[in-house]
Every structure is written in structure tokens, then in C-alpha cells.
């Protein structure tokens, strides 16, 4: 019966794609890592185009339509030096998406077209080569590190008629991105909650460190993981390209699958997409494995589905009921992290002498739905998400039933969350917003910032246009991610599952939401400009404070691997900066990109120079909001100072998956 249901739903998806008349429209999407998205947001801030959707990626056809709108609105402005420059920038982007039959040497591409029985079919075959090299040089030379990626991409993209587009990208390359271990003792939870009565510390309910010490003292019960740092790049600045696992060059066999390229290794993977826009673009539907970002008030700012999340296969649909009201939904299948290098003993299968199999432990599906309201001066959205073990739960797939309401009808054993955003606009000047993501919260508590079981994230930000400079913006935001946010305790005896299954808000070992670890906050400032047609410049500053995820001052709930104990949750308290050691990271980064396509040379160069100053504070004498903290510099928690240099080269096609 289960297999029959899966086949029926798959057939319904396929029927939806092919049930309309078909000629070529480029409904395939442009990857969200392309800088055209930042450019479109700059243009929107200057009031050059309509309000952009906050579910990305966009289709190539939609991006072309918006670029044409921007061009028309700029042409209607009074003549000025800035106007002429901005027109050149728009034309530069439009030139990227010109389709030419036959050979196109500037993109190392060949395009085919054929019309038969009034059905036009197109295909473009092209190649992309990418190089990334990044080095960190530190005052402590033992931290010096260099990482690199060299990937070749083979792409097939085209249309079957007017309504259906496809994209296939396969890639393979050589990579090495060393991680340096800073600790091996971070406590993530007990082994396992219902094996026996978990430790009792009720005599000191308000001291969470007593609970931590008790768990660690019982070595048979405590689960710990290794903590690493990537010193080749700036913190929060790297997203791996390869999928699933890599092969060390020293062991190119089926037994050589590894979770991270500590040494030179071969990485590979695929992206794919089928997409259709129907009813004059009022309804979109897609099956794809691509990068995405939803409900972000600025680029790379989403608390619920961030650009930093690893891609996974999903079905998505969008409904634009009115120009001011739309709804989007997505359901997909999350991927396991291959995390044996984190700790080979952190996860197991019961009944096989505690055999470690993280591919069994991380087997979840993911659903999200969001309503968007766009008025002249206000944007508001509201939605819910669900992480649930792969059991083909149709209620989470169906877009017109809320996931939070539905899970109470099927047993209340899945990981639900709510989110919302409110954003105000002053056309041509700027915008300001407030975003909230609620993982779990006790609705009756008067102390959501003190009770650990209240797991949520929030963000406030603003972005303004600098009018006397062409396509220049200044943005600021503050983000706070509470302890244990994006985490979830592993559950046993779920429907269709006998062993423990993780339900954390993660994919491939990384948060689906914001890029910060739990128990962190961030002050973020960025100025970005396009003073030249083919060049982009940006200067960015971040101050990130994060609870230590290793060592004697570690703070529970400071990692996406953490699990809050199930019993007596209301006794656990949190005191940001006052309950252990905290890492303070000051990060300055200057980055630039230059596209040589304007000079008829088919490549783009990017580079960045960054500075990192990393230090720690620690509180003594127990966790309490009044406990003072002071700066420390020890062998366990040292000050780190360094420079990071990065160089990227991309050759031939630029409008493809990155």
C-alpha cells in the first residue's frame, strides 16, 4: 500500500508538469549564490522594480523580466552620470542570459533547438570550471592552514515547450579543506534517555552545570563529540560544494567514503531540476535539488531556511492568489551528515552492540509553508515547518493544512516550528525588519530569555540605499540564536522506526536555519557597491559571541548536535555570557569580484582579505545573570589573531548552480 501511494503521488506531479500546452520560456532557476540576487535587492531598494518574492531561487525568465523592468525605470530618470552607469550594469546582466544557437565560445556552450508538431525543444550543453584557494595566517603559526577546491561542472539546461524547463548539473573535483581539532569532550546528551532512569540532580535545579558534571562523570552515559575549526577561511564563510561523501586520493575504492577532506580528496555530486510556471505565472511547481533561501529579509539573513543550508531534493509549489498575497510550500528529503569524524560513538543502532550508523540515525523529511502579504509600505509573512522521519506523511505534504495543527492529530512526535517576519519600506530610501523563529517555547513562562526550554531565534535589521553612489547599500542587523535552537532530542519507536531517529533542524550536519550555532548572537554591518559595470566591492564586519563548545567552560546547548534532556526541562536555565566560557569573534572582510566577460574574456575573478580577532570570556562561581565574566587567555581558550586570503576563479558559464 505504501509503495502504491508513492507511485500515485509521483504520477500526479508528473501529470501536473505535462498537462499544459508547450514553446520555450526558461523556467529553470538561477542559483542563489549568483550575485544577480544582491543586484536585484539593490535595485528594489532604489524603487526600480516591483517587490521581489522572498522564496528563492528565481526562474531565469522572472529575472530577465525584472531586469527589463529595472532598465525601463532607469531610462525614465533624468539624465545623470549615475543613470548611465546603472543602465550599463543592467545591460551587463541581461547579456548573460542571451541564447545563441550553435557554438558560444564565451561560455564554452552549444545550444540545440528543434520544433516538431508545434513543440519546441531546446538544450544547451556547457561547462564551468571553478577554483577556490583560501589561506589563513595566524600569530600562532601552528594554526596556519590552506584549503582549496577545483571543480569541473557539466551542465544540461533547456526547455520542453513553453511551460516546462529542466536543468542537470554534474560536477567532480579535487578538494582539501583541513579542520583543526580544538576539543574532544563536548557533551551533547545522555546515552540514552530511556535506557535507564536519567541522572537526578533535582537538589540543585537552578544549576545546569551540576547536571553537566554529573553526566560527564558517568562515562557510560555521557555522549561527547569532537569540535573543529576551519582556519583556512573566515568563520561562517565556507559552504562545501561536494555532496554526501568524498574519496581520499589514497583510497579510491568503495571503502574510501569519508565525511570530510582532511587530506586531498575527490568530491562529486549533482543538482537537478524540473520546473513549470502555469496560469500566467500565478502557479509554479518544481521538483529539484538546488540551493534555496526562504523568508529572508536580506541576502543570507533567513532564520528559517538560509542560503548556507546544504541542498536537498524537494517538491515545491507557489501560488500567487493576488498581487499582494501569495503562498509557497515545499516538502523534501534531508540528507545524512556522514559525521563519523565528529565522533564515531555519538550515534548507534540498538541490538547490534551499539553499532555506529549515522546514516540510520539521520533519516528525515522536511516540510515548510509560508503566507506572504505585500503592501505598498509593508511586507509580512507567517509560516510553519516540520522535520519528520521519512514515513510519507501526506498531511505535511498537503499545502493547505498547517503542519503545527496537523501534527497534533497524528501523535505529536515530530519537530515543529513557527516563524514570522515584518518589514517596512520607504521606497527609494530603505527598509527595516523584525524576524522571529520559534523552535520550542513554554507559552506560559514569564521568562523566555531565562528558561532553556524556550528555544528560538530573532533578528532586527535595516538596509538603506546610498543615493549619491550607483547601486550602493548599507545594511545592519542583530541576530540572537538561543541555546538548543535548531536542535531536537532523538526519539525512539517513531511510526515505521524501531531505533532512535534524530529530528534536529539540520541537513547534512548543518542548520537549515541561520548559519550561527545555537547560543550565539551577532552584530553585522555590510556596505556593498558597484562603482564599475563589471566589478562589485563589499566591506563587512561581524562580531559574534558564542558559548564554548569544548573544554572545561563549555556551555550546554551551544551546538546543533546538542540534545536537551527530556525530563524536568523547566529546571534548566540559561544566562548568556554568564554561564561559562564564551568565544568573541571580531571578523572584518573586504571582498571584490570582477567579471572579464565585458572584455570578451570568459572568466570571473573574486578575492577577499579578512582579519580575525578571537578571544574568550569566562564567568566563575556558577551560572546566574549577576555572575560577572572576565576576559581570559589560556592554553584551553587562547586569543587568536590572523589574516585570511581567498582567491576564486570561475570560467565560462556564470548562470549555473554554484
Amino acid at each position: 500500500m505504501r509503495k502504491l501511494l508513492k507511485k500515485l503521488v509521483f504520477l500526479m506531479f508528473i501529470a501536473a508538469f505535462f498537462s499544459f500546452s508547450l514553446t520555450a520560456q526558461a523556467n529553470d532557476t538561477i542559483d542563489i549564490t549568483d550575485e544577480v540576487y544582491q543586484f536585484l535587492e539593490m535595485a528594489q531598494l532604489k524603487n526600480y522594480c516591483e517587490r521581489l518574492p522572498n522564496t528563492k531561487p528565481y526562474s531565469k525568465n522572472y529575472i530577465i523580466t525584472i531586469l527589463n523592468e529595472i532598465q525601463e525605470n532607469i531610462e525614465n530618470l533624468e539624465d545623470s552620470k549615475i543613470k548611465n552607469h546603472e543602465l550599463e550594469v543592467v545591460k551587463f546582466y541581461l547579456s548573460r542570459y542571451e541564447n545563441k544557437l550553435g557554438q558560444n565560445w564565451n561560455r564554452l556552450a552549444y545550444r540545440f533547438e528543434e520544433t516538431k508538431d508545434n513543440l519546441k525543444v531546446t538544450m544547451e550543453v556547457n561547462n564551468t570550471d571553478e577554483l577556490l584557494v583560501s589561506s589563513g595566517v595566524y600569530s600562532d603559526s601552528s594554526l596556519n592552514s590552506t584549503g582549496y577546491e577545483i571543480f569541473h561542472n557539466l551542465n544540461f539546461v533547456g526547455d520542453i515547450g513553453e511551460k516546462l524547463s529542466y536543468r542537470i548539473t554534474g560536477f567532480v573535483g579535487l578538494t582539501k579543506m583541513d579542520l583543526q581539532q580544538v576539543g574532544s569532550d563536548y557533551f551533547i546528551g545522555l546515552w540514552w534517555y530511556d535506557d535507564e532512569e536519567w541522572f537526578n540532580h533535582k537538589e540543585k535545579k537552578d544549576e545546569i552545570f551540576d547536571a553537566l558534571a554529573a553526566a560527564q562523570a558517568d562515562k557510560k552515559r555521557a555522549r561527547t563529540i569532537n569540535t573543529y575549526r576551519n582556519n583556512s577561511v573566515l568563520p561562517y564563510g565556507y559552504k562545501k560544494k561536494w555532496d554526501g561523501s568524498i574519496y581520499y586520493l589514497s583510497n579510491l575504492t568503495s571503502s574510501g567514503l569519508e565525511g570530510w577532506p582532511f587530506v586531498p580528496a575527490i568530491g562529486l555530486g549533482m543538482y537537478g531540476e524540473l520546473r513549470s510556471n502555469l496560469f500566467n505565472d500565478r502557479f509554479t511547481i518544481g521538483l529539484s535539488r538546488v540551493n534555496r533561501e526562504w523568508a529572508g529579509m536580506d541576502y543570507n539573513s533567513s532564520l528559517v531556511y538560509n542560503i548556507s543550508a546544504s541542498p536537498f531534493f524537494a517538491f515545491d509549489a507557489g501560488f500567487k492568489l493576488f498581487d499582494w498575497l501569495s503562498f509557497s510550500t515545499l516538502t523534501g528529503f534531508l540528507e545524512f551528515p556522514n559525521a563519523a569524524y565528529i565522533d564515531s560513538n555519538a550515534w548507534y543502532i540498538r541490538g547490534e552492540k551499539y553499532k555506529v550508523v549515522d546514516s540510520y540515525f539521520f533519516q528525515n523529511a522536511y516540510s515548510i509553508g509560508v503566507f506572504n502579504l505585500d503592501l505598498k509600505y509593508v511586507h509580512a509573512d507567517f509560516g510553519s515547518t516540520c522535520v519528520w522521519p521519512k514515513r510519507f506523511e501526506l498531511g505535511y505534504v498537503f499545502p493547505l493544512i498547517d503542519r503545527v495543527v496537523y501534527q497534533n492529530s497524528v501523535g505529536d512526535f515530530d519537530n515543529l516550528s513557527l516563524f514570522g517576519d515584518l518589514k517596512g519600506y520607504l521606497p527609494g530610501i530603505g527598509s527595516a525588519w523584525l524576524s522571529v523563529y520559534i523552535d520550542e517555547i513554554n507559552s506560559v513562562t514569564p521568562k523566555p530569555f531565562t528558561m532553556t526550554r524556550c528555544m528560538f531565534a530573532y533578528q532586527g535589521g535595516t538596509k538603506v540605499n546610498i543615493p549619491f553612489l550607483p547601486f550602493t547599500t548599507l545594511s545592519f542587523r542583530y541576530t540572537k540564536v538561543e541555546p538548543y535552537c535548531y536542535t531536537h532530542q532523538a526519539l525512539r519507536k517513531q511510526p515505521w522506526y524501531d531505533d532512535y531517529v534524530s529530528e534536529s533542524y539540520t541537513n547534512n550536519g548543518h542548520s537549515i536555519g541561520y548559519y550561527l550555532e545555537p547560543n550565539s548572537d551577532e552584530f553585522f554591518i555590510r556596505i556593498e557597491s558597484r562603482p564599475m559595470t563589471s566589478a562589485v566591492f563589499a566591506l563587512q564586519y561581524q562580531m559574534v559571541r558564542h558559548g564554548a563548545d569544548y573544554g572545561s567552560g563549555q556551555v550546554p546547548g551551544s551546538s546543533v548536535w546538542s540534545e536537551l534532556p527530556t525530563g524536568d526541562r523547566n529546571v534548566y536555565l540559561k544566562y548568556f555570557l554568564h554561564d561559562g566560557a564564551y568565544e568573541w569573534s571580531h571578523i572584518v572582510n573586504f571582498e571584490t569580484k570582477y567579471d572579464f566577460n565585458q572584455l570578451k574574456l570568459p572568466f570571473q575573478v573574486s578575492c577577499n582579505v579578512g582579519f580575525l580577532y578571537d578571544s574568550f570570556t569566562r564567568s566563575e562561581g556558577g551560572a546566574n545573570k549577576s555572575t560577572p565574566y572576565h576576559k581570559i587567555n589560556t592554553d584551553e581558550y587562547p586569543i587568536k589573531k590572523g589574516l585570511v586570503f581567498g582567491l576564486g576563479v570561475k570560467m565560462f558559464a556564470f548562470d549555473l548552480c554554484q
Side-chain angles (χ1 to χ4, degrees):
M1 184 63 180
R2 194 189 315 167
K3 292 182 178 179
L4 177 60
L5 283 172
K6 291 181 179 180
K7 290 179 180 179
L8 287 174
V9 173
F10 178 74
L11 289 173
M12 285 191 292
F13 290 163
I14 297 300
F17 278 119
F18 288 99
S19 58
F20 298 87
S21 62
L22 299 166
T23 80
Q25 278 295 325
N27 298 302
D28 56 291
T29 59
I30 302 300
D31 193 84
I32 56 175
T33 58
D34 194 302
E35 73 269 13
V36 70
Y37 287 92
Q38 286 122 305
F39 170 74
L40 293 179
E41 289 183 0
M42 288 178 177
Q44 177 186 237
L45 209 61
K46 294 174 74 71
N47 204 28
Y48 287 165
C49 63
E50 67 177 38
R51 195 73 55 78
L52 299 170
N54 67 342
T55 53
K56 302 169 185 174
Y58 303 151
S59 71
K60 185 187 297 183
N61 184 53
Y62 177 76
I63 288 177
I64 293 172
T65 300
I66 294 299
L67 287 172
N68 284 325
E69 179 186 349
I70 295 169
Q71 179 175 326
E72 181 180 347
N73 287 329
I74 294 176
E75 288 173 343
N76 292 332
L77 298 175
E78 295 182 1
D79 288 338
S80 68
K81 186 176 181 179
I82 289 181
K83 170 186 173 178
N84 295 332
H85 172 75
E86 291 184 337
L87 275 176
E88 288 299 315
V89 175
V90 178
K91 292 176 182 178
F92 163 75
Y93 277 109
L94 281 170
S95 68
R96 285 187 171 191
Y97 308 119
E98 294 177 353
N99 292 322
K100 298 179 181 179
L101 284 176
Q103 181 68 50
N104 183 343
W105 289 108
N106 280 344
R107 295 178 55 194
L108 201 63
Y110 198 95
R111 185 175 180 84
F112 306 84
E113 286 188 7
E114 180 180 283
T115 302
K116 189 174 183 180
D117 298 328
N118 295 321
L119 178 65
K120 188 175 183 179
V121 179
T122 68
M123 175 189 287
E124 180 176 294
V125 182
N126 54 55
N127 292 268
T128 312
D129 291 290
E130 298 172 85
L131 166 69
L132 169 67
V133 180
S134 187
S135 294
V137 181
Y138 297 88
S139 55
D140 179 356
S141 60
S142 67
L143 302 178
N144 293 352
S145 181
T146 297
Y148 58 83
E149 292 182 339
I150 307 170
F151 278 97
H152 176 75
N153 309 271
L154 180 61
N155 309 279
F156 300 86
V157 58
D159 308 290
I160 303 176
E162 169 177 79
K163 301 298 182 183
L164 178 65
S165 298
Y166 62 89
R167 179 187 297 276
I168 305 169
T169 298
F171 54 88
V172 62
L174 178 66
T175 180
K176 176 183 178 295
M177 193 64 63
D178 189 26
L179 301 178
Q180 295 178 319
Q181 187 171 324
V182 294
S184 61
D185 62 344
Y186 186 67
F187 171 73
I188 62 171
L190 295 176
W191 199 308
W192 214 285
Y193 305 127
D194 65 356
D195 283 349
E196 56 182 307
E197 183 180 359
W198 59 285
F199 69 92
N200 190 328
H201 66 285
K202 297 179 182 178
E203 67 278 4
K204 294 184 178 181
K205 292 183 178 181
D206 61 339
E207 295 186 16
I208 193 170
F209 283 97
D210 287 352
L212 171 62
Q216 290 176 322
D218 187 350
K219 298 299 183 182
K220 295 180 181 179
R221 310 275 330 278
R223 296 161 57 222
T224 59
I225 61 170
N226 303 325
T227 301
Y228 295 91
R229 295 289 185 265
N230 187 345
N231 292 319
S232 300
V233 298
L234 289 172
Y236 315 106
Y238 175 73
K239 177 180 176 180
K240 73 179 184 68
K241 179 182 174 69
W242 45 273
D243 295 337
S245 305
I246 46 86
Y247 294 86
Y248 286 174
L249 286 181
S250 58
N251 186 15
L252 295 177
T253 68
S254 58
S255 64
L257 287 173
E258 301 288 346
W260 194 264
F262 290 92
V263 298
I266 299 294
L268 65 159
M270 287 191 72
Y271 298 139
E273 178 178 37
L274 284 172
R275 185 161 301 277
S276 185
N277 291 331
L278 313 170
F279 306 121
N280 295 323
D281 293 337
R282 292 284 179 177
F283 175 57
T284 63
I285 185 171
L287 286 168
S288 60
R289 185 181 186 274
V290 296
N291 292 304
R292 305 177 180 90
E293 183 166 47
W294 284 35
M297 298 297 97
D298 191 14
Y299 187 80
N300 198 24
S301 70
S302 176
L303 299 180
V304 61
Y305 195 167
N306 196 273
I307 187 175
S308 61
S310 298
F312 57 88
F313 177 78
F315 158 74
D316 65 85
F319 309 84
K320 191 171 185 178
L321 304 178
F322 305 97
D323 289 342
W324 49 272
L325 181 64
S326 63
F327 175 73
S328 299
T329 184
L330 175 146
T331 292
F333 299 97
L334 303 179
E335 301 173 2
F336 88 105
N338 195 356
Y341 69 97
I342 298 293
D343 190 336
S344 60
N345 296 310
W347 307 283
Y348 71 92
I349 294 180
R350 182 190 295 268
E352 297 187 30
K353 295 183 179 179
Y354 299 99
K355 180 181 178 182
V356 178
V357 185
D358 53 6
S359 57
Y360 281 73
F361 191 70
F362 297 93
Q363 286 294 326
N364 290 312
Y366 174 78
S367 296
I368 181 174
V370 56
F371 280 96
N372 294 283
L373 177 68
D374 281 299
L375 304 177
K376 184 176 181 180
Y377 298 109
V378 175
H379 165 89
D381 62 52
F382 174 81
S384 62
T385 72
C386 182
V387 175
W388 45 286
K390 299 173 182 175
R391 60 177 187 269
F392 204 64
E393 190 63 66
L394 285 174
Y396 293 141
V397 180
F398 186 63
L400 302 183
I401 296 179
D402 182 74
R403 279 137 292 280
V404 173
V405 174
Y406 179 75
Q407 66 99 22
N408 287 307
S409 302
V410 297
D412 193 12
F413 32 60
D414 298 313
N415 182 8
L416 280 296
S417 66
L418 296 171
F419 64 92
D421 304 279
L422 182 64
K423 188 175 186 178
Y425 292 92
L426 286 177
I429 298 176
S431 63
W433 69 87
L434 176 66
S435 300
V436 178
Y437 170 89
I438 301 175
D439 189 342
E440 180 180 332
I441 196 165
N442 186 343
S443 60
V444 298
T445 179
K447 299 179 179 179
F449 293 95
T450 303
M451 294 187 65
T452 302
R453 70 158 297 172
C454 296
M455 313 170 206
F456 57 93
Y458 58 91
Q459 181 183 96
T462 184
K463 190 170 187 175
V464 296
N465 169 53
I466 300 179
F468 51 86
L469 295 174
F471 291 121
T472 302
T473 58
L474 173 65
S475 59
F476 167 80
R477 64 177 183 255
Y478 173 77
T479 308
K480 177 72 188 304
V481 183
E482 294 290 315
Y484 292 100
C485 185
Y486 303 128
T487 74
H488 200 273
Q489 77 273 19
L491 297 179
R492 190 179 174 221
K493 295 190 179 299
Q494 293 273 53
W496 302 8
Y497 293 85
D498 291 328
D499 293 300
Y500 280 100
V501 178
S502 170
E503 289 190 348
S504 64
Y505 198 77
T506 60
N507 175 53
N508 206 343
H510 303 279
S511 172
I512 300 170
Y514 203 62
Y515 51 77
L516 292 183
E517 290 285 305
N519 198 26
S520 302
D521 74 347
E522 175 191 49
F523 293 87
F524 176 99
I525 303 173
R526 181 180 175 91
I527 183 168
E528 187 169 352
S529 182
R530 185 178 283 274
M532 302 167 60
T533 303
S534 300
V536 180
F537 297 92
L539 180 63
Q540 179 175 298
Y541 168 75
Q542 296 166 272
M543 185 185 79
V544 178
R545 300 180 292 186
H546 172 227
D549 50 3
Y550 68 95
S552 60
Q554 62 184 261
V555 187
S558 299
S559 168
V560 292
W561 306 102
S562 301
E563 295 182 18
L564 182 64
T566 55
D568 284 346
R569 289 188 161 203
N570 290 337
V571 309
Y572 290 93
L573 302 177
K574 55 188 177 183
Y575 302 101
F576 189 66
L577 303 179
H578 300 274
D579 51 7
Y582 278 79
E583 186 174 9
W584 296 53
S585 300
H586 297 270
I587 308 162
V588 180
N589 189 31
F590 173 77
E591 54 189 278
T592 182
K593 291 182 180 179
Y594 189 86
D595 198 324
F596 288 84
N597 238 359
Q598 197 175 28
L599 303 177
K600 307 303 180 184
L601 299 173
F603 64 93
Q604 181 188 80
V605 173
S606 61
C607 64
N608 75 282
V609 179
F611 171 75
L612 171 67
Y613 180 84
D614 205 50
S615 63
F616 286 85
T617 60
R618 186 165 184 171
S619 59
E620 306 288 352
N624 192 289
K625 64 180 180 181
S626 61
T627 302
Y629 61 84
H630 57 277
K631 191 173 181 178
I632 59 174
N633 182 14
T634 66
D635 291 340
E636 186 179 36
Y637 299 120
I639 290 176
K640 181 168 70 174
K641 295 178 286 186
L643 292 173
V644 175
F645 306 90
L647 174 67
V649 179
K650 195 186 306 179
M651 300 183 64
F652 303 114
F654 303 133
D655 60 331
L656 306 167
C657 292
Q658 308 294 308

